[in-house]
Amino acid sequence: MRSLHTRRTLLGAGLAAAGGGLLAGCSGGSAPDHGQHGGSGGTRPAPAGYVSPDGPEVRAAEEARRARGRVRAVRVTATAATLDLGAGRSVRTWAYGDRLPGQEVRVTAGDTLALTLANHLPEATSLHWHGLALRNDMDGVPGLTQKAVRPGGAHTYRFAVPHPGTYWFHPHSGVQLDRGLYAPLIVEDPREPLAYDQEWVVVLDDWVDGVDGSTPDAVLAELSKGMAGGGHAGHGAGGTGGTAGSPPPGAGPSRIMTGARSDVLGADAGDVAYPHYLVNGRTPEDPAVFTARPGDRIRIRIVNAGGDTAFRVALGGHEMTVTHTDGFPVVHTRARSLLLGMGERYDVLVTAQDGVFPLTALAEGKDRTALAVLRTGGGAAPAAGVRPAELTGRPLTADRLRAAPSVALPARTPDRTVKIRLTGGMEKYDWAFDGAPYTADRLHPVKAGERVRLVFANSTSMWHPLHLHGHTFALANVPGGVRKDTAVVLPNGTLTVDFDADNPGLWMIHCHNVYHAEAGMMTVLGYRRK
Ligand code: C2O
Ligand code: CU
Protein backbone atom coordinates (compact mmCIF):
# COMPACT_ATOMS: atom_id res chain seq x y z
CA MET A 1 0.00 0.00 0.00
CA ARG A 2 1.29 3.37 -0.99
CA SER A 3 1.78 6.10 1.54
CA LEU A 4 0.07 9.35 0.82
CA HIS A 5 3.21 11.35 1.02
CA THR A 6 5.42 9.18 -1.13
CA ARG A 7 5.13 11.32 -4.23
CA ARG A 8 6.50 14.47 -2.71
CA THR A 9 9.19 12.57 -0.88
CA LEU A 10 10.23 11.01 -4.16
CA LEU A 11 10.19 14.40 -5.73
CA GLY A 12 12.55 15.77 -3.13
CA ALA A 13 14.83 12.77 -3.44
CA GLY A 14 14.87 13.04 -7.22
CA LEU A 15 15.83 16.65 -7.00
CA ALA A 16 18.57 16.14 -4.52
CA ALA A 17 20.02 13.54 -6.86
CA ALA A 18 19.58 15.59 -9.98
CA GLY A 19 20.18 19.02 -8.67
CA GLY A 20 22.83 18.77 -6.01
CA GLY A 21 20.71 19.35 -2.94
CA LEU A 22 19.26 22.78 -3.37
CA LEU A 23 16.34 21.55 -1.34
CA ALA A 24 18.58 20.89 1.61
CA GLY A 25 16.05 22.68 3.80
CA CYS A 26 13.46 20.08 2.90
CA SER A 27 11.90 18.21 5.78
CA GLY A 28 12.62 14.89 4.11
CA GLY A 29 8.94 14.16 3.69
CA SER A 30 8.22 13.28 7.28
CA ALA A 31 6.05 16.30 7.91
CA PRO A 32 2.34 15.92 7.20
CA ASP A 33 2.32 18.16 4.16
CA HIS A 34 2.60 17.97 0.45
CA GLY A 35 5.40 20.31 -0.19
CA GLN A 36 8.93 20.94 0.82
CA HIS A 37 9.67 23.13 3.76
CA GLY A 38 12.49 25.56 3.60
CA GLY A 39 12.81 29.12 2.49
CA SER A 40 10.70 30.49 -0.27
CA GLY A 41 12.06 31.58 -3.58
CA GLY A 42 15.04 30.40 -5.49
CA THR A 43 15.19 27.53 -7.86
CA ARG A 44 17.26 24.43 -7.98
CA PRO A 45 19.96 23.86 -10.59
CA ALA A 46 18.44 22.07 -13.57
CA PRO A 47 19.46 18.52 -14.46
CA ALA A 48 22.66 18.53 -16.50
CA GLY A 49 22.12 19.71 -20.04
CA TYR A 50 18.78 21.37 -19.33
CA VAL A 51 17.81 25.01 -19.11
CA SER A 52 17.54 26.15 -15.51
CA PRO A 53 14.22 27.75 -14.44
CA ASP A 54 16.05 31.00 -13.64
CA GLY A 55 18.75 30.59 -16.26
CA PRO A 56 19.87 33.13 -18.88
CA GLU A 57 17.54 31.65 -21.51
CA VAL A 58 14.56 32.26 -19.22
CA ARG A 59 15.64 35.81 -18.48
CA ALA A 60 16.11 36.50 -22.20
CA ALA A 61 12.62 35.17 -22.95
CA GLU A 62 11.21 37.43 -20.23
CA GLU A 63 12.99 40.46 -21.67
CA ALA A 64 11.62 39.65 -25.11
CA ARG A 65 8.11 39.97 -23.65
CA ARG A 66 8.80 43.70 -23.27
CA ALA A 67 6.29 44.33 -20.52
CA ARG A 68 5.72 48.05 -20.84
CA GLY A 69 2.50 48.31 -18.88
CA ARG A 70 1.97 48.99 -15.21
CA VAL A 71 3.34 46.99 -12.34
CA ARG A 72 0.35 45.56 -10.51
CA ALA A 73 1.10 44.76 -6.88
CA VAL A 74 -1.30 42.33 -5.22
CA ARG A 75 -1.27 40.53 -1.88
CA VAL A 76 -2.91 37.17 -1.42
CA THR A 77 -3.10 35.24 1.85
CA ALA A 78 -3.62 31.50 1.87
CA THR A 79 -5.33 30.76 5.16
CA ALA A 80 -7.64 28.47 7.07
CA ALA A 81 -11.11 29.96 6.88
CA THR A 82 -14.75 29.29 7.57
CA LEU A 83 -16.73 29.84 4.39
CA ASP A 84 -20.45 30.17 3.87
CA LEU A 85 -21.55 28.09 0.87
CA GLY A 86 -25.07 29.44 1.16
CA ALA A 87 -28.29 28.17 2.71
CA GLY A 88 -26.70 28.00 6.13
CA ARG A 89 -23.94 25.64 5.08
CA SER A 90 -20.58 26.68 6.33
CA VAL A 91 -17.37 24.74 6.00
CA ARG A 92 -13.98 24.92 7.61
CA THR A 93 -11.46 24.93 4.77
CA TRP A 94 -8.42 26.66 3.27
CA ALA A 95 -8.93 29.64 1.02
CA TYR A 96 -7.39 32.79 -0.39
CA GLY A 97 -8.66 35.22 2.21
CA ASP A 98 -12.18 34.66 3.45
CA ARG A 99 -13.99 34.24 0.16
CA LEU A 100 -14.69 31.62 -2.48
CA PRO A 101 -13.44 31.84 -5.17
CA GLY A 102 -10.51 33.98 -4.07
CA GLN A 103 -10.54 37.64 -5.05
CA GLU A 104 -10.22 37.93 -8.81
CA VAL A 105 -6.93 39.35 -10.06
CA ARG A 106 -7.38 41.57 -13.12
CA VAL A 107 -4.51 42.94 -15.18
CA THR A 108 -3.89 44.04 -18.74
CA ALA A 109 -1.65 42.16 -21.17
CA GLY A 110 1.75 43.82 -21.06
CA ASP A 111 1.53 44.57 -17.34
CA THR A 112 3.88 43.10 -14.79
CA LEU A 113 2.13 41.25 -11.99
CA ALA A 114 3.87 41.37 -8.62
CA LEU A 115 1.79 39.14 -6.38
CA THR A 116 2.93 38.31 -2.89
CA LEU A 117 1.55 35.11 -1.48
CA ALA A 118 1.57 34.94 2.30
CA ASN A 119 1.22 31.40 3.58
CA HIS A 120 -0.85 31.21 6.77
CA LEU A 121 -1.65 27.54 6.17
CA PRO A 122 -0.28 24.74 8.34
CA GLU A 123 1.31 23.22 5.20
CA ALA A 124 3.76 24.43 2.59
CA THR A 125 2.04 25.78 -0.51
CA SER A 126 2.69 27.34 -3.92
CA LEU A 127 0.91 29.30 -6.59
CA HIS A 128 0.61 28.26 -10.21
CA TRP A 129 -0.70 30.53 -12.99
CA HIS A 130 -2.78 28.15 -15.03
CA GLY A 131 -2.39 28.75 -18.76
CA LEU A 132 0.06 31.64 -18.69
CA ALA A 133 3.15 31.56 -20.90
CA LEU A 134 5.20 33.20 -18.18
CA ARG A 135 8.82 33.02 -17.09
CA ASN A 136 9.61 29.53 -15.87
CA ASP A 137 10.86 30.40 -12.39
CA MET A 138 7.45 31.99 -11.59
CA ASP A 139 5.43 28.95 -12.67
CA GLY A 140 4.94 27.81 -9.09
CA VAL A 141 5.81 24.12 -9.13
CA PRO A 142 7.57 23.11 -5.89
CA GLY A 143 10.52 20.87 -6.45
CA LEU A 144 10.77 21.87 -10.10
CA THR A 145 10.68 25.64 -10.51
CA GLN A 146 10.80 26.84 -6.90
CA LYS A 147 10.93 25.75 -3.31
CA ALA A 148 7.52 25.49 -1.70
CA VAL A 149 6.45 28.43 0.44
CA ARG A 150 6.69 27.18 3.99
CA PRO A 151 4.04 27.83 6.64
CA GLY A 152 4.47 31.39 7.87
CA GLY A 153 6.52 32.26 4.80
CA ALA A 154 5.80 34.48 1.82
CA HIS A 155 6.85 34.54 -1.80
CA THR A 156 6.53 37.19 -4.48
CA TYR A 157 5.69 36.10 -7.99
CA ARG A 158 6.77 38.77 -10.42
CA PHE A 159 6.40 38.33 -14.15
CA ALA A 160 5.33 39.91 -17.42
CA VAL A 161 1.77 38.95 -18.32
CA PRO A 162 1.93 37.97 -21.97
CA HIS A 163 -1.51 37.23 -23.40
CA PRO A 164 -5.04 38.46 -22.78
CA GLY A 165 -7.67 35.96 -21.71
CA THR A 166 -9.39 34.03 -18.96
CA TYR A 167 -6.96 32.27 -16.64
CA TRP A 168 -6.89 31.20 -13.02
CA PHE A 169 -4.46 30.37 -10.26
CA HIS A 170 -4.20 27.59 -7.71
CA PRO A 171 -1.56 25.80 -5.64
CA HIS A 172 0.65 23.14 -7.20
CA SER A 173 1.04 21.30 -3.91
CA GLY A 174 -0.64 17.98 -3.27
CA VAL A 175 -4.43 18.14 -3.51
CA GLN A 176 -4.70 21.65 -2.06
CA LEU A 177 -6.47 22.80 -5.22
CA ASP A 178 -9.49 20.74 -4.13
CA ARG A 179 -9.90 22.97 -1.08
CA GLY A 180 -10.94 26.59 -1.54
CA LEU A 181 -7.58 27.66 -2.95
CA TYR A 182 -8.42 29.02 -6.39
CA ALA A 183 -9.22 32.35 -8.00
CA PRO A 184 -9.74 33.78 -11.48
CA LEU A 185 -7.01 35.72 -13.26
CA ILE A 186 -8.46 37.94 -15.97
CA VAL A 187 -6.04 39.47 -18.44
CA GLU A 188 -7.66 42.28 -20.37
CA ASP A 189 -6.78 43.03 -23.97
CA PRO A 190 -5.57 46.61 -24.43
CA ARG A 191 -7.19 46.41 -27.88
CA GLU A 192 -10.28 44.40 -26.98
CA PRO A 193 -12.00 43.47 -30.24
CA LEU A 194 -15.27 42.28 -28.67
CA ALA A 195 -18.05 44.68 -27.77
CA TYR A 196 -20.11 43.85 -24.69
CA ASP A 197 -21.94 45.67 -21.91
CA GLN A 198 -21.22 43.45 -18.95
CA GLU A 199 -18.85 40.75 -17.88
CA TRP A 200 -19.65 37.80 -15.66
CA VAL A 201 -16.93 35.50 -14.33
CA VAL A 202 -18.33 32.06 -13.52
CA VAL A 203 -16.14 29.63 -11.57
CA LEU A 204 -17.31 26.03 -11.26
CA ASP A 205 -16.23 23.69 -8.49
CA ASP A 206 -16.89 20.35 -6.86
CA TRP A 207 -16.80 20.56 -3.09
CA VAL A 208 -15.93 18.08 -0.32
CA ASP A 209 -13.60 19.89 2.09
CA GLY A 210 -14.92 20.29 5.61
CA VAL A 211 -18.17 18.40 4.94
CA ASP A 212 -18.81 15.74 7.63
CA GLY A 213 -15.11 15.47 8.35
CA SER A 214 -13.94 14.99 4.76
CA THR A 215 -10.80 16.57 3.34
CA PRO A 216 -9.23 16.17 -0.10
CA ASP A 217 -6.31 14.38 1.58
CA ALA A 218 -8.69 11.85 3.11
CA VAL A 219 -10.37 11.39 -0.28
CA LEU A 220 -6.97 10.74 -1.86
CA ALA A 221 -6.15 8.27 0.93
CA GLU A 222 -9.40 6.44 0.29
CA LEU A 223 -8.91 6.39 -3.49
CA SER A 224 -5.30 5.27 -3.10
CA LYS A 225 -6.41 2.06 -1.44
CA GLY A 226 -7.82 1.16 -4.83
CA MET A 227 -10.97 -0.60 -5.87
CA ALA A 228 -9.32 -3.97 -6.34
CA GLY A 229 -11.37 -5.53 -3.55
CA GLY A 230 -14.48 -4.79 -5.54
CA GLY A 231 -16.03 -2.36 -3.09
CA HIS A 232 -18.19 0.11 -4.94
CA ALA A 233 -19.56 3.05 -3.13
CA GLY A 234 -22.49 3.40 -5.45
CA HIS A 235 -23.80 6.30 -7.43
CA GLY A 236 -24.55 9.60 -5.82
CA ALA A 237 -23.32 11.88 -3.13
CA GLY A 238 -21.85 10.26 -0.10
CA GLY A 239 -22.12 6.73 -1.40
CA THR A 240 -22.87 3.84 0.86
CA GLY A 241 -19.35 2.87 1.77
CA GLY A 242 -17.18 0.37 -0.07
CA THR A 243 -15.38 -2.70 1.15
CA ALA A 244 -12.06 -1.99 -0.54
CA GLY A 245 -11.61 1.70 -0.05
CA SER A 246 -12.76 3.49 3.03
CA PRO A 247 -11.68 6.85 4.30
CA PRO A 248 -9.24 7.08 7.16
CA PRO A 249 -10.81 7.01 10.64
CA GLY A 250 -12.63 10.22 11.46
CA ALA A 251 -12.42 11.46 7.88
CA GLY A 252 -16.09 11.33 7.00
CA PRO A 253 -18.13 9.02 4.79
CA SER A 254 -16.84 7.29 1.68
CA ARG A 255 -16.49 9.66 -1.25
CA ILE A 256 -15.64 7.11 -3.95
CA MET A 257 -17.83 7.10 -7.02
CA THR A 258 -18.09 4.41 -9.62
CA GLY A 259 -20.46 4.00 -12.52
CA ALA A 260 -20.49 7.70 -13.37
CA ARG A 261 -21.61 7.37 -16.97
CA SER A 262 -21.47 10.13 -19.58
CA ASP A 263 -22.46 9.82 -23.22
CA VAL A 264 -19.64 12.23 -24.09
CA LEU A 265 -16.84 11.20 -21.70
CA GLY A 266 -17.51 7.49 -21.47
CA ALA A 267 -18.30 5.00 -18.77
CA ASP A 268 -16.23 6.46 -15.95
CA ALA A 269 -16.76 10.21 -15.78
CA GLY A 270 -15.34 10.70 -12.28
CA ASP A 271 -13.86 9.02 -9.21
CA VAL A 272 -15.27 11.24 -6.47
CA ALA A 273 -18.87 11.70 -5.33
CA TYR A 274 -18.84 15.25 -4.00
CA PRO A 275 -21.50 16.38 -1.57
CA HIS A 276 -21.74 19.81 -3.25
CA TYR A 277 -21.29 21.38 -6.65
CA LEU A 278 -20.75 25.13 -6.68
CA VAL A 279 -20.88 28.14 -8.95
CA ASN A 280 -18.91 31.05 -7.55
CA GLY A 281 -18.74 29.39 -4.18
CA ARG A 282 -22.50 28.88 -3.73
CA THR A 283 -24.70 25.81 -3.52
CA PRO A 284 -27.78 25.74 -5.79
CA GLU A 285 -30.11 26.42 -2.85
CA ASP A 286 -28.63 29.90 -2.44
CA PRO A 287 -27.07 30.75 -5.79
CA ALA A 288 -25.05 33.74 -6.90
CA VAL A 289 -27.25 36.18 -8.84
CA PHE A 290 -25.95 38.31 -11.69
CA THR A 291 -28.10 41.27 -12.66
CA ALA A 292 -28.20 42.91 -16.06
CA ARG A 293 -30.69 44.67 -18.33
CA PRO A 294 -32.63 42.94 -21.07
CA GLY A 295 -30.70 43.28 -24.31
CA ASP A 296 -27.31 43.59 -22.61
CA ARG A 297 -24.52 41.72 -24.31
CA ILE A 298 -22.79 39.79 -21.57
CA ARG A 299 -19.38 38.21 -21.82
CA ILE A 300 -19.37 35.16 -19.58
CA ARG A 301 -15.96 33.80 -18.64
CA ILE A 302 -16.35 30.22 -17.41
CA VAL A 303 -13.61 28.43 -15.46
CA ASN A 304 -13.73 24.81 -14.29
CA ALA A 305 -11.79 24.82 -11.02
CA GLY A 306 -13.02 21.36 -10.02
CA GLY A 307 -10.83 18.54 -8.79
CA ASP A 308 -12.57 15.58 -10.42
CA THR A 309 -15.65 16.86 -12.25
CA ALA A 310 -16.38 17.86 -15.84
CA PHE A 311 -19.26 20.32 -16.09
CA ARG A 312 -21.83 20.67 -18.85
CA VAL A 313 -22.97 24.30 -18.80
CA ALA A 314 -26.05 25.98 -20.26
CA LEU A 315 -27.88 29.24 -19.72
CA GLY A 316 -31.62 28.63 -19.79
CA GLY A 317 -33.47 30.52 -22.52
CA HIS A 318 -30.26 31.57 -24.27
CA GLU A 319 -27.94 30.40 -26.95
CA MET A 320 -24.27 31.14 -26.34
CA THR A 321 -21.69 32.34 -28.84
CA VAL A 322 -18.32 30.83 -27.98
CA THR A 323 -15.53 33.37 -28.52
CA HIS A 324 -12.52 31.93 -26.65
CA THR A 325 -11.22 28.81 -25.05
CA ASP A 326 -8.31 28.78 -22.60
CA GLY A 327 -7.81 32.51 -23.20
CA PHE A 328 -7.36 32.30 -26.96
CA PRO A 329 -9.96 33.39 -29.55
CA VAL A 330 -11.89 30.90 -31.68
CA VAL A 331 -14.03 31.28 -34.78
CA HIS A 332 -17.31 32.36 -33.18
CA THR A 333 -19.53 29.32 -32.81
CA ARG A 334 -23.01 29.00 -31.38
CA ALA A 335 -23.76 26.45 -28.72
CA ARG A 336 -26.65 25.43 -26.49
CA SER A 337 -24.30 23.85 -23.96
CA LEU A 338 -20.56 23.45 -23.38
CA LEU A 339 -18.47 20.75 -21.74
CA LEU A 340 -15.52 21.83 -19.59
CA GLY A 341 -12.94 19.46 -18.20
CA MET A 342 -11.00 20.48 -15.09
CA GLY A 343 -8.73 23.43 -15.88
CA GLU A 344 -10.52 24.38 -19.11
CA ARG A 345 -12.03 27.82 -19.71
CA TYR A 346 -14.56 29.10 -22.22
CA ASP A 347 -15.65 32.66 -22.93
CA VAL A 348 -19.09 33.11 -24.43
CA LEU A 349 -21.29 36.05 -25.42
CA VAL A 350 -25.02 36.08 -24.75
CA THR A 351 -27.69 38.68 -25.36
CA ALA A 352 -29.75 38.80 -22.21
CA GLN A 353 -33.44 38.05 -22.48
CA ASP A 354 -36.01 39.60 -20.13
CA GLY A 355 -36.64 37.64 -16.96
CA VAL A 356 -34.84 35.25 -14.61
CA PHE A 357 -32.66 32.48 -16.03
CA PRO A 358 -30.71 29.56 -14.59
CA LEU A 359 -27.08 29.07 -15.48
CA THR A 360 -26.82 25.38 -14.71
CA ALA A 361 -23.60 23.38 -14.55
CA LEU A 362 -24.35 19.67 -14.69
CA ALA A 363 -21.67 17.53 -13.06
CA GLU A 364 -21.15 15.31 -16.09
CA GLY A 365 -21.99 11.70 -15.36
CA LYS A 366 -22.59 12.46 -11.69
CA ASP A 367 -26.24 13.46 -11.99
CA ARG A 368 -25.94 16.57 -9.80
CA THR A 369 -26.02 20.24 -10.69
CA ALA A 370 -24.60 23.58 -9.68
CA LEU A 371 -26.49 26.82 -10.27
CA ALA A 372 -26.14 30.55 -10.73
CA VAL A 373 -28.86 32.97 -11.79
CA LEU A 374 -29.07 35.69 -14.43
CA ARG A 375 -31.72 38.25 -13.53
CA THR A 376 -32.79 41.02 -15.92
CA GLY A 377 -36.40 41.40 -14.82
CA GLY A 378 -39.12 40.18 -12.50
CA GLY A 379 -39.90 36.58 -11.80
CA ALA A 380 -39.39 33.80 -9.34
CA ALA A 381 -35.93 32.37 -8.75
CA PRO A 382 -35.33 29.08 -10.54
CA ALA A 383 -35.59 25.88 -8.50
CA ALA A 384 -32.27 24.63 -7.11
CA GLY A 385 -32.18 21.52 -9.29
CA VAL A 386 -33.45 23.09 -12.51
CA ARG A 387 -32.10 21.60 -15.73
CA PRO A 388 -32.75 23.90 -18.67
CA ALA A 389 -33.63 22.26 -21.98
CA GLU A 390 -30.39 23.61 -23.43
CA LEU A 391 -28.49 20.93 -21.48
CA THR A 392 -29.89 18.16 -23.65
CA GLY A 393 -28.14 17.11 -26.83
CA ARG A 394 -24.42 16.95 -27.39
CA PRO A 395 -22.51 19.73 -25.63
CA LEU A 396 -19.91 21.67 -27.60
CA THR A 397 -16.36 20.43 -27.12
CA ALA A 398 -13.04 21.94 -28.24
CA ASP A 399 -12.55 19.53 -31.12
CA ARG A 400 -15.60 21.11 -32.83
CA LEU A 401 -14.07 24.61 -32.74
CA ARG A 402 -11.47 26.28 -34.94
CA ALA A 403 -8.85 28.80 -33.90
CA ALA A 404 -9.46 32.42 -34.85
CA PRO A 405 -7.16 33.17 -37.82
CA SER A 406 -5.20 35.65 -35.68
CA VAL A 407 -4.00 32.86 -33.38
CA ALA A 408 -4.03 29.78 -35.64
CA LEU A 409 -0.72 27.96 -35.34
CA PRO A 410 0.94 28.14 -38.79
CA ALA A 411 1.23 24.74 -40.46
CA ARG A 412 4.66 23.21 -39.99
CA THR A 413 6.04 19.71 -39.93
CA PRO A 414 6.95 18.77 -36.36
CA ASP A 415 10.66 18.64 -35.63
CA ARG A 416 10.02 16.31 -32.75
CA THR A 417 7.24 14.06 -31.56
CA VAL A 418 6.89 13.23 -27.87
CA LYS A 419 4.69 10.20 -27.26
CA ILE A 420 3.15 9.74 -23.86
CA ARG A 421 1.00 6.77 -22.92
CA LEU A 422 -1.60 7.23 -20.20
CA THR A 423 -1.72 4.26 -17.89
CA GLY A 424 -3.29 3.03 -14.68
CA GLY A 425 -6.79 2.80 -13.32
CA MET A 426 -9.15 2.78 -10.37
CA GLU A 427 -8.27 -0.77 -9.38
CA LYS A 428 -4.90 0.15 -7.93
CA TYR A 429 -5.31 3.90 -8.29
CA ASP A 430 -1.99 3.91 -10.12
CA TRP A 431 -2.64 6.66 -12.67
CA ALA A 432 0.60 7.48 -14.46
CA PHE A 433 2.32 8.30 -17.73
CA ASP A 434 4.09 5.34 -19.34
CA GLY A 435 3.46 3.11 -16.34
CA ALA A 436 5.73 4.97 -13.92
CA PRO A 437 4.68 7.53 -11.34
CA TYR A 438 6.06 11.06 -11.45
CA THR A 439 9.60 11.95 -10.57
CA ALA A 440 11.05 15.36 -11.34
CA ASP A 441 14.23 13.88 -12.79
CA ARG A 442 12.59 12.14 -15.74
CA LEU A 443 12.30 14.76 -18.47
CA HIS A 444 11.06 14.76 -22.03
CA PRO A 445 13.64 16.83 -23.90
CA VAL A 446 12.83 19.53 -26.46
CA LYS A 447 14.92 22.31 -27.97
CA ALA A 448 14.02 25.96 -28.30
CA GLY A 449 12.82 26.76 -31.80
CA GLU A 450 11.37 23.35 -32.49
CA ARG A 451 7.83 22.65 -33.52
CA VAL A 452 6.89 19.92 -31.06
CA ARG A 453 4.09 17.41 -31.38
CA LEU A 454 2.72 15.77 -28.24
CA VAL A 455 0.80 12.56 -28.71
CA PHE A 456 -1.15 11.33 -25.71
CA ALA A 457 -2.25 7.74 -26.18
CA ASN A 458 -4.84 6.89 -23.56
CA SER A 459 -4.74 3.21 -22.73
CA THR A 460 -7.03 3.70 -19.74
CA SER A 461 -10.78 3.36 -19.62
CA MET A 462 -11.25 6.89 -18.32
CA TRP A 463 -11.10 10.38 -19.86
CA HIS A 464 -8.41 12.84 -18.73
CA PRO A 465 -7.97 16.62 -19.06
CA LEU A 466 -4.31 17.04 -20.06
CA HIS A 467 -2.49 20.25 -19.27
CA LEU A 468 0.84 21.65 -20.45
CA HIS A 469 2.40 24.51 -18.52
CA GLY A 470 3.90 27.61 -20.12
CA HIS A 471 2.56 27.12 -23.65
CA THR A 472 -0.68 27.21 -25.59
CA PHE A 473 -0.73 24.29 -27.98
CA ALA A 474 -2.99 23.75 -30.99
CA LEU A 475 -5.27 20.74 -31.32
CA ALA A 476 -3.65 18.95 -34.22
CA ASN A 477 -6.29 16.45 -35.22
CA VAL A 478 -7.66 18.99 -37.72
CA PRO A 479 -6.06 21.92 -39.56
CA GLY A 480 -6.65 25.17 -37.70
CA GLY A 481 -7.42 23.45 -34.42
CA VAL A 482 -8.03 25.67 -31.41
CA ARG A 483 -5.25 26.93 -29.19
CA LYS A 484 -5.51 25.53 -25.68
CA ASP A 485 -3.50 24.66 -22.60
CA THR A 486 -5.82 21.94 -21.32
CA ALA A 487 -7.52 19.39 -23.55
CA VAL A 488 -9.59 16.29 -23.03
CA VAL A 489 -8.50 12.83 -24.16
CA LEU A 490 -11.31 10.27 -24.26
CA PRO A 491 -11.09 6.71 -22.90
CA ASN A 492 -8.81 4.68 -25.17
CA GLY A 493 -8.49 7.73 -27.41
CA THR A 494 -5.52 9.71 -28.68
CA LEU A 495 -4.95 13.44 -28.30
CA THR A 496 -2.43 15.10 -30.63
CA VAL A 497 -1.33 18.67 -30.02
CA ASP A 498 1.37 20.86 -31.57
CA PHE A 499 3.24 23.82 -30.13
CA ASP A 500 6.27 25.96 -30.80
CA ALA A 501 9.01 25.55 -28.19
CA ASP A 502 9.39 29.25 -27.50
CA ASN A 503 9.42 29.46 -23.71
CA PRO A 504 12.54 27.84 -22.25
CA GLY A 505 12.42 26.09 -18.91
CA LEU A 506 11.13 22.99 -17.17
CA TRP A 507 7.39 22.60 -17.62
CA MET A 508 4.87 20.21 -16.15
CA ILE A 509 2.61 18.06 -18.28
CA HIS A 510 -0.13 16.46 -16.22
CA CYS A 511 -3.68 15.31 -15.88
CA HIS A 512 -5.77 18.08 -14.31
CA ASN A 513 -7.75 15.57 -12.31
CA VAL A 514 -5.98 16.52 -9.07
CA TYR A 515 -6.26 12.97 -7.71
CA HIS A 516 -4.85 11.43 -10.88
CA ALA A 517 -2.01 13.96 -10.89
CA GLU A 518 -1.19 13.27 -7.27
CA ALA A 519 -1.32 9.51 -7.86
CA GLY A 520 1.43 10.03 -10.43
CA MET A 521 -0.01 11.18 -13.77
CA MET A 522 2.52 13.98 -14.26
CA THR A 523 5.77 14.47 -16.09
CA VAL A 524 8.15 17.22 -17.18
CA LEU A 525 9.00 18.75 -20.53
CA GLY A 526 12.54 20.11 -20.39
CA TYR A 527 14.32 22.47 -22.75
CA ARG A 528 17.87 21.34 -23.53
CA ARG A 529 20.60 23.91 -23.26
CA LYS A 530 21.97 24.88 -26.63
CU1 C2O B 1 -3.83 24.16 -13.34
CU2 C2O B 1 -0.22 22.18 -13.36
O1 C2O B 1 -2.05 23.15 -13.35
CU1 CU C 1 -6.60 11.84 -15.30
Side-chain angles (χ1 to χ4, degrees), residues 128-131 139-141 168-172 177 342-343 345 467-469 485-486 508-512 517 522:
H128 168 61
W129 310 92
H130 184 117
D139 195 44
V141 181
W168 62 301
F169 57 92
H170 61 74
H172 224 282
L177 138 71
M342 296 78 82
R345 291 91 63 214
H467 175 44
L468 167 66
H469 286 202
D485 52 65
T486 309
M508 297 295 297
I509 301 172
H510 64 90
C511 177
H512 221 283
M522 307 195 284

Side-chain angles (χ1 to χ4, degrees), residues 422 431 463-465 511-513 516-517 521:
L422 282 65
W431 303 108
W463 74 284
H464 305 270
C511 177
H512 221 283
N513 181 310
H516 293 188
M521 202 177 246

Side-chain angles (χ1 to χ4, degrees), residues 16-67:
L22 176 126
L23 294 174
C26 164
S27 66
S30 58
D33 66 49
H34 288 279
Q36 286 79 33
H37 286 284
S40 55
T43 55
R44 67 182 179 109
Y50 285 90
V51 166
S52 166
D54 61 354
E57 301 89 345
V58 172
R59 288 199 298 275
E62 181 72 347
E63 247 148 59
R65 288 186 185 99
R66 300 174 162 276

